[in-house]
Amino acid sequence: MESKRKFADLVVESTLMPVVTPTITPTPTLTSQQIAEIERKIRLVEGMRAEFDSDEMQIDVSDGTFTPTTAWHEPKDLIGFETKLKLDMHLMIADVDARINDWLIEPVKKITFHLEAAHDPMLVLEKIKESGKEAGIAINPETPVEKLKPFFGKADSFLILGVRPGAS
């Protein structure tokens, strides 16, 4: 709860955007090793969209370079895949600057990357936005929320992790 309070205080203090109260939207998230399992779970969530306030689904992507664990991490598996959901790829990968273009494909509608994994986070954010996709920035629990301030009014969302990424 402390992280949310600090984040809200920063939003109110920001001179980069009008005073707003952050909206917190629960989003189904999945982690899997296999694309077939991801596709199966996407179809399950599609069938339950009426029960959610959002049609978004986040997929955790981890190749073992930013986190100690791996999960599905092959963007080419998504080419040609169709869904009614707004897919948000939560990239838990190192050197995201050099690898972001691989993820700027359909059916991906949003990309959330870790501030700690980018050499130039503003450049990554700009690449995502220029591609017509939404951009989110995630931070690990130990990263001060103040580090997000330069991105207020630029990023579409912020994800503040309660645990370190990877197996928890």
Side-chain angles (χ1 to χ4, degrees), residues 29-81:
T29 301
L30 73 93
T31 303
S32 179
Q33 296 290 333
Q34 304 295 323
I35 189 65
E37 181 69 5
I38 290 171
E39 290 174 1
R40 186 182 74 75
K41 289 181 179 179
I42 287 172
R43 299 296 178 227
L44 285 172
V45 172
E46 281 177 334
M48 301 184 321
R49 284 175 50 210
E51 298 174 35
F52 297 103
D53 287 338
S54 170
D55 63 352
E56 187 171 319
M57 182 168 197
Q58 186 177 77
I59 300 173
D60 287 341
V61 175
S62 175
D63 64 0
T65 60
F66 181 69
T67 65
T69 58
T70 62
W72 172 82
H73 56 273
E74 292 295 334
K76 66 181 187 259
D77 291 344
L78 293 172
I79 295 172
F81 183 74

Side-chain angles (χ1 to χ4, degrees), residues 96-115:
V96 71
D97 310 61
R99 302 164 68 191
I100 193 64
N101 289 337
D102 295 342
W103 294 95
L104 300 177
I105 59 172
E106 288 298 323
V108 176
K109 302 295 184 209
K110 180 178 176 183
I111 297 174
T112 301
F113 67 94
H114 276 263
L115 184 65

Side-chain angles (χ1 to χ4, degrees), residues 58 60-61 66-67 89-97 111-121 124 128 136-143 148 159-161 163-166:
Q58 186 177 77
D60 287 341
V61 175
F66 181 69
T67 65
M89 298 294 121
H90 176 199
L91 301 183
M92 296 180 283
I93 60 175
D95 200 22
V96 71
D97 310 61
I111 297 174
T112 301
F113 67 94
H114 276 263
L115 184 65
E116 304 89 350
H119 302 288
D120 185 346
V124 174
I128 295 169
I137 300 176
I139 57 171
N140 291 341
E142 68 277 2
T143 302
L148 294 173
L159 177 61
I160 301 170
L161 275 67
V163 297
R164 287 203 43 78

Side-chain angles (χ1 to χ4, degrees), residues 4-5 7-14 17-25 152 156 158:
K4 290 177 187 169
R5 203 166 33 250
F7 178 70
D9 291 344
L10 280 174
V11 171
V12 171
E13 293 171 8
S14 174
M17 62 188 296
V19 175
V20 295
T21 302
T23 302
I24 298 172
T25 306
F152 289 177
D156 295 295
F158 298 98

